[in-house]
Amino acid sequence: MTPITFAIFITSLFWLNLSDAKIGYFWHITDLHYDPFHNSPEFHRGCKHNRANSEHNHRNGRHRDHTCDSSWPLIQSAVDFMAQRHPDTLEFVLWTGDILSSSMEHLSDEVRLEAVRNVTDILGRTFSSQFVFPALGHNDPPPSRKLVDMWMQWLPSDALQTFETGGYYTIEHSYSKLRIVVLNSVLWSGGATKTDVPHRGRAQWEWLEHVLSKARRKNEMVYLVAHSGPGVEERHNAGSSSASGGGELTPTANARLVHVVRAFSDVIAGQFYGHRHADTFRIIYSEGRPVSWALLAPSVTPRGAGSISNPGLRLYKFDTNNGKVLDYTQYYLDVTGKRGGELHWGVEYNLTQYYGLREVTAASLDGLAKKIRNSNDRTMLYKYLTALRVRHVTDFSDCDIACVHVHYCAITHADFHEFRSCVRNPASALASRAPNLSNAIISYAIIILCFSKRY
Ligand SMILES: *[C@@H]1O[C@H](CO)[C@@H](O)[C@H](O)[C@H]1NC(C)=O
Ligand SMILES: *[C@@H]1O[C@H](CO)[C@@H](O)[C@H](O)[C@H]1NC(C)=O
């Protein structure tokens, strides 16, 4: 390289950096499941354990327990940690619901709203110069004037209007072509009992399609944000009904959301969900091509939904010009770790580095899913399973070929029917993509395995 070409090369690098990257950050926190009665022994509301256990928990201050929802000290420690890690360019906070412990379900609206207010207040104080965008989960109070009053500090008046009637809204991110669309997944989930829910659920579909069409016309990119997202709960295994209430989308709503994401994948820059208390992802395909991704953040509560995990907090890095997600850092708290009495949050991993991704796209995550499935090299599988439970579990020797396959199907088949046929038909799912000898051998092994299990 001559000095002059070198100079041009350096200049162009510099120019690219200046023009391309306008780096910003946002937090994604979810499933705090605050339990105000965590510390009153007579209640034991958020904790599911026996007496012997509970003595042990008291000794541990009880926020170090996977059978309990979040104590106030746990929430405080999470928020303090986020405040310390506060990047200068923090743009906003996504807060995807299940604010309250499910043990509060039968308490009065008054107590529940007071608990929501306390969490709102601490977030408001901590992020005093940012906007927090809340999404409702199935354990939260339904939209109301009182919630509007609490959250009007963060939402403009047109957002508050749709929020008050339906619990959903959209926000235009200032100075960029990014639009945040916050959905109320409760309206589309089987657990909803209120009689006007189907009507409001329909209204939300119409609104969503309208907002996405408009974003397309205006060349905006969209973040879809909600408590529950599309796809199955992989721990329900083999495609048993995964929509039996509890905040999961109904099969119809799930299919429709997958359809909408496919139809607007050119507009959707990313999907951000919580609910599962697990660190996982989903890929939506259109005609076999990966077209959209959904990243599911783990919960703040250490209490599991199905199985347990450590508390997590996630900090996203993105290009504020266009909303393109560049990376995230996953932070966590080792609940049962022997670090003394203090709650010690730390880095768990960085997405691109951990999985060796060059970028965060549907295609790169599709590549990752294939590596997770690879039975010749279990590195990525173990990394994925370690992250899934936020380092709570570290021994995966019992995850056999069938288990790996269920995980792979859950990541790559968001539609319930497609998931079930993927799980039922491991051989063809493997063979259909890259027919080569090793796949043929794996398929054969799976067939043998299935038969040996059945008999
Ligand atoms: C809310 O915070 C106040 C003030 O710290 C406290 O007295 C009250 O018990 C809290 N209530 C709930 C439900 O968290
Ligand atoms: C992970 O991300 C954080 C936050 O962006 C950064 O400070 C840190 O250097 C990254 N670590 C690695 C190993 O890339």
Side-chain angles (χ1 to χ4, degrees):
M1 202 182 269
T2 66
I4 188 94
T5 49
F6 182 70
I8 290 169
F9 175 64
I10 292 295
T11 316
S12 62
L13 272 187
F14 185 64
W15 184 82
L16 276 178
N17 270 339
L18 273 187
S19 62
D20 276 352
K22 248 183 101 203
I23 305 291
Y25 292 86
F26 64 89
W27 286 104
H28 180 191
I29 55 172
T30 194
D31 297 84
L32 272 63
H33 288 287
Y34 168 44
D35 177 12
F37 303 102
H38 190 281
N39 262 331
S40 48
E42 68 271 26
F43 279 103
H44 288 236
R45 288 173 192 272
C47 304
K48 289 207 168 139
H49 49 62
N50 58 35
R51 204 165 259 285
N53 235 338
S54 89
E55 274 160 30
H56 166 77
N57 301 327
H58 281 298
R59 267 207 316 279
N60 276 337
R62 294 183 55 190
H63 35 251
R64 311 187 127 256
D65 183 338
H66 286 292
T67 61
C68 292
D69 268 332
S70 299
S71 63
W72 188 254
L74 175 60
I75 287 174
Q76 178 101 48
S77 82
V79 170
D80 288 349
F81 180 79
M82 288 194 285
Q84 282 164 30
R85 292 275 160 164
H86 218 308
D88 293 337
T89 48
L90 185 74
E91 301 278 336
F92 53 84
V93 179
L94 302 179
W95 180 25
T96 53
D98 275 9
I99 303 160
L100 303 182
S101 170
S102 57
S103 63
M104 293 186 74
E105 240 153 42
H106 305 293
L107 297 183
S108 70
D109 283 355
E110 226 176 350
V111 179
R112 287 157 55 78
L113 281 165
E114 184 186 304
V116 171
R117 179 181 302 284
N118 283 4
V119 182
T120 299
D121 285 350
I122 197 174
L123 290 175
R125 282 198 303 275
T126 308
F127 301 108
S128 55
S129 47
Q130 282 82 26
F131 289 95
V132 178
F133 300 131
L136 292 173
H138 50 107
N139 287 144
D140 300 321
S144 66
R145 190 67 231 171
K146 283 184 174 144
L147 273 186
V148 164
D149 288 344
M150 259 185 244
W151 291 344
M152 59 192 294
Q153 56 180 318
W154 296 319
L155 308 183
S157 56
D158 49 345
L160 288 171
Q161 249 171 36
T162 54
F163 179 83
E164 189 174 354
T165 51
Y168 49 86
Y169 57 91
T170 176
I171 304 259
E172 215 179 321
H173 183 241
S174 50
Y175 72 80
S176 75
K177 283 271 182 191
L178 175 62
R179 173 171 293 283
I180 296 168
V181 175
V182 177
L183 300 168
N184 179 6
S185 60
V186 181
L187 297 179
W188 296 338
S189 76
T193 48
K194 277 193 149 183
T195 47
D196 62 341
V197 160
H199 168 72
R200 292 206 229 171
R202 275 195 299 278
Q204 183 172 235
W205 285 119
E206 281 162 23
W207 174 85
L208 174 62
E209 291 182 13
H210 171 75
V211 167
L212 289 171
S213 302
K214 204 165 149 193
R216 181 182 276 154
R217 281 199 304 277
K218 292 170 73 182
N219 285 322
E220 294 170 334
M221 292 308 283
V222 168
Y223 284 178
L224 278 192
V225 179
H227 179 64
S228 306
V232 296
E233 161 67 87
E234 67 274 8
R235 285 158 293 175
H236 285 190
N237 213 345
S240 60
S241 169
S242 52
S244 51
E248 289 289 313
L249 301 182
T250 64
T252 318
N254 183 73
R256 184 151 177 189
L257 186 52
V258 170
H259 177 79
V260 169
V261 168
R262 267 185 199 135
F264 289 95
S265 62
D266 57 319
V267 181
I268 298 169
Q271 304 169 64
F272 306 87
Y273 306 111
H275 175 58
R276 292 269 156 73
H277 298 205
D279 175 343
T280 180
F281 62 102
R282 301 286 179 260
I283 303 160
I284 310 285
Y285 298 81
S286 179
E287 290 161 7
R289 219 164 36 86
V291 292
S292 186
W293 53 256
L295 292 170
L296 282 68
S299 61
V300 169
T301 182
R303 182 168 155 199
S307 58
I308 54 187
S309 57
N310 280 313
L313 300 166
R314 183 173 286 186
L315 183 65
Y316 276 94
K317 179 178 172 185
F318 74 116
D319 184 337
T320 59
N321 286 322
N322 51 20
K324 187 174 167 41
V325 166
L326 303 171
D327 207 352
Y328 68 67
T329 301
Q330 182 63 48
Y331 297 97
Y332 84 118
L333 175 75
D334 187 356
V335 166
T336 48
K338 302 194 171 34
R339 287 253 184 89
E342 287 302 297
L343 294 172
H344 188 95
W345 292 83
V347 175
E348 186 193 357
Y349 69 92
N350 287 2
L351 176 67
T352 55
Q353 187 213 16
Y354 186 66
Y355 289 123
L357 304 177
R358 241 176 295 144
E359 51 176 11
V360 185
T361 58
S364 69
L365 290 166
D366 172 62
L368 173 59
K370 287 182 180 127
K371 284 183 186 162
I372 288 171
R373 188 190 58 184
N374 182 357
S375 60
N376 297 322
D377 178 358
R378 300 198 120 205
T379 317
M380 284 303 166
L381 172 70
Y382 286 172
K383 280 184 177 237
Y384 171 70
L385 294 177
T386 306
L388 186 69
R389 301 262 72 84
V390 198
R391 288 203 196 171
H392 175 66
V393 187
T394 47
D395 178 11
F396 308 110
S397 45
D398 62 342
C399 192
D400 57 13
I401 277 189
C403 154
V404 175
H405 188 66
V406 169
H407 283 291
Y408 175 76
C409 292
I411 291 168
T412 55
H413 292 73
D415 183 87
F416 294 166
H417 294 294
E418 289 173 16
F419 171 75
R420 277 194 286 271
S421 59
C422 175
V423 167
R424 273 199 223 107
N425 203 355
S428 77
L430 282 175
S432 67
R433 302 234 163 178
N436 60 28
L437 188 62
S438 69
N439 277 349
I441 293 169
I442 297 164
S443 312
Y444 186 67
I446 290 175
I447 292 166
I448 300 288
L449 206 100
C450 292
F451 276 97
S452 64
K453 282 220 155 153
R454 194 169 301 160
Y455 296 108

